[in-house]
Amino acid sequence: MTTTSERLSGPTARQASQRVSQSVFDGSRLRVVLLVDVYDGAQQEFLEAYEQLCNQVASVPGHVSDQLCQSIENPSQWLITSEWESAPPFLAWVNSEEHVQMVRPLHNCVRDTRSLRFHVVRETGGPAENAKKGGRRLQSAPRMGDGVIRHALTFTVKPGSEKKVAEILADYASPDPKVDDTTRLVRTSLFMHGNRVVRAIEVRGDLLAALRHVARQPEVRAVEEAINPYLEQDRDLDDPESARVFFTRAALPAVHHVTAEREDPAAERHALYYPARPGQGMRLAELLAAQDEAAADDPASPVLRSTIFQRDDVVVRLIDVRGGPDAADPALTLGLADPARAAELAEFLDPAAGGAPAQSRGPVRMALVTDRRSPDA
């Protein structure tokens, strides 16, 4: 399991930039809420599975406490809340293979789950009372956001099948962008590097509802079935448990998004892959986030928007660039303008990734497969 035993942020919460609409790196405490719908008659089995899980998670670095609550109106509805010192240690744990195996007993007795994650902004008692509690860190200011939720999936295909997979993924009818009256698909961007696939999606409204909507679309289901024989990780989409485990492992969460608040209709979208040294993915993502935040204040920067996705040692930076990366200063586009930070970044990159020599360590530009926007997005 990849854990974050050392604190990734400073001792005090970082001042929130108005240009950053999403970030897990401000150092504030995290509250995780899990809504659970248990099968009728399985309440005792669920309670036993939770107690086993609770004993295991108590030793995870960064975990503070948790609670289990049962509805007073419907005994099949449960609520699990947990508190973490900050978001990075929670993400390191929830995205680990150990977590996938740890929660299996819960899913045997659960009909549906929904996970929600919140930075703590304010709490009863105010700053003076918080100081008495040991300086518990709160998010310094609410983020304004831009109404768009960003998420990505990543998986690998069998070596030698890359060209065929790219053809399948590029040639399909777009699903209906309207999910319901409040949720809409905005954009889907798909990239490949070697045998790794990254699919980034943007949604207005409810991300979970959008993902379920897309999975039910016949054109998407046909594509998923077509690439099944080429996946390195086997899956059976007709088996809910097999599909759940695959998409759990494939999830590539967005950990930071920043915009320069400059627009260019001709901006191009690119994806950069940063293979991290083992155990250094979160640190690498945090360094890139700090660089992007500084670049957003620089009028000379060609990067209009940047989203960083990270899971374990996979870090992907999705950027919208004016003039294209070839027309701009490569150092600015790649987030390497500061020589000191470029050297620090190189220390977090895996020199063995892709067989590259140590002296050529750096991000890799992924090949665009398809980039689709919904009408009126």
Side-chain angles (χ1 to χ4, degrees):
M1 178 181 74
T2 302
T3 62
T4 307
S5 57
E6 57 183 301
R7 198 173 308 281
L8 298 180
S9 300
T12 58
R14 181 187 299 165
Q15 182 66 34
S17 167
Q18 293 300 308
R19 291 190 171 96
V20 178
S21 61
Q22 177 184 359
S23 182
V24 303
F25 299 121
D26 66 4
S28 59
R29 286 182 294 119
L30 183 75
R31 174 72 64 184
V32 180
V33 177
L34 184 65
L35 305 174
V36 183
D37 186 12
V38 176
Y39 288 120
D40 295 338
Q43 284 84 355
Q44 184 60 37
E45 180 185 355
F46 170 74
L47 180 59
E48 293 171 358
Y50 166 78
E51 289 179 342
Q52 180 179 0
L53 174 64
C54 185
N55 291 333
Q56 293 172 313
V57 75
S59 62
V60 175
H63 175 262
V64 177
S65 64
D66 54 65
Q67 288 183 322
L68 176 65
C69 310
Q70 185 177 22
S71 170
I72 62 174
E73 299 169 335
N74 183 351
S76 69
Q77 294 180 346
W78 295 71
L79 173 69
I80 301 174
T81 64
S82 62
E83 183 177 323
W84 297 75
E85 292 178 358
S86 61
F90 167 76
L91 292 174
W93 174 69
V94 79
N95 291 330
S96 68
E97 183 61 25
E98 183 173 343
H99 176 264
V100 172
Q101 302 303 325
M102 197 181 295
V103 299
R104 278 184 184 272
L106 282 178
H107 286 277
N108 293 333
C109 47
V110 168
R111 182 183 295 107
D112 192 23
T113 62
R114 183 178 181 86
S115 179
L116 304 171
R117 300 152 188 189
F118 303 87
H119 273 146
V120 180
V121 179
R122 297 290 183 271
E123 65 181 5
T124 302
E129 185 63 27
N130 294 335
K132 294 178 182 178
K133 296 176 181 177
R136 288 148 61 99
R137 293 168 297 161
L138 307 179
Q139 184 173 307
S140 59
R143 298 198 182 277
M144 296 300 103
D146 59 1
V148 176
I149 303 172
R150 297 167 176 86
H151 188 68
L153 298 172
T154 187
F155 51 87
T156 55
V157 297
K158 296 174 182 176
S161 69
E162 295 90 348
K163 182 178 179 180
K164 179 62 177 177
V165 170
E167 291 174 353
I168 295 172
L169 293 174
D171 185 23
Y172 70 96
S174 298
D176 183 359
K178 182 178 179 181
V179 178
D180 53 38
D181 290 341
T182 60
T183 301
R184 185 179 184 87
L185 299 173
V186 176
R187 191 170 183 176
T188 300
S189 308
L190 201 146
F191 297 84
M192 290 184 69
H193 171 64
N195 69 332
R196 179 168 295 282
V197 177
V198 172
R199 178 190 293 153
I201 65 170
E202 297 178 359
V203 173
R204 290 191 183 275
D206 187 329
L207 175 63
L208 183 57
L211 294 176
R212 289 175 172 172
H213 165 81
V214 169
R216 291 193 297 265
Q217 301 304 300
E219 51 273 86
V220 174
R221 179 63 182 247
V223 169
E224 296 290 348
E225 292 287 0
I227 67 172
N228 259 353
Y230 306 110
L231 297 175
E232 286 199 312
Q233 179 188 340
D234 292 334
R235 70 176 181 187
D236 180 359
L237 294 176
D238 293 322
D239 178 357
E241 179 63 12
S242 174
R244 183 193 68 80
V245 170
F246 177 87
F247 287 110
T248 296
R249 288 173 172 154
L252 189 63
V255 295
H256 193 271
H257 177 77
V258 62
T259 176
E261 297 180 346
R262 298 185 293 270
E263 294 297 332
D264 185 342
E268 298 179 1
R269 173 156 290 190
H270 298 270
L272 301 169
Y273 172 45
Y274 299 74
R277 289 180 181 273
Q280 296 299 319
M282 186 67 75
R283 297 295 301 274
L284 175 58
E286 185 176 18
L287 177 61
L288 290 170
Q291 293 186 171
D292 278 343
E293 198 167 326
D297 294 324
D298 181 4
S301 174
V303 179
L304 302 179
R305 278 171 295 277
S306 172
T307 307
I308 298 170
F309 300 91
Q310 182 266 333
R311 180 191 181 93
D312 295 333
D313 301 324
V314 176
V315 181
V316 175
R317 183 166 163 259
L318 192 67
I319 56 175
D320 292 339
V321 183
R322 58 182 178 183
D326 295 325
D329 181 345
L332 292 174
T333 302
L334 299 176
L336 303 175
D338 184 332
R341 286 196 167 180
E344 185 179 3
L345 177 67
E347 291 303 312
F348 289 118
L349 292 170
D350 186 354
Q359 63 268 25
S360 64
R361 284 184 294 192
V364 178
R365 190 185 304 177
M366 304 188 78
L368 176 66
V369 176
T370 183
D371 183 25
R372 306 182 182 202
R373 300 188 196 214
S374 64
D376 304 320

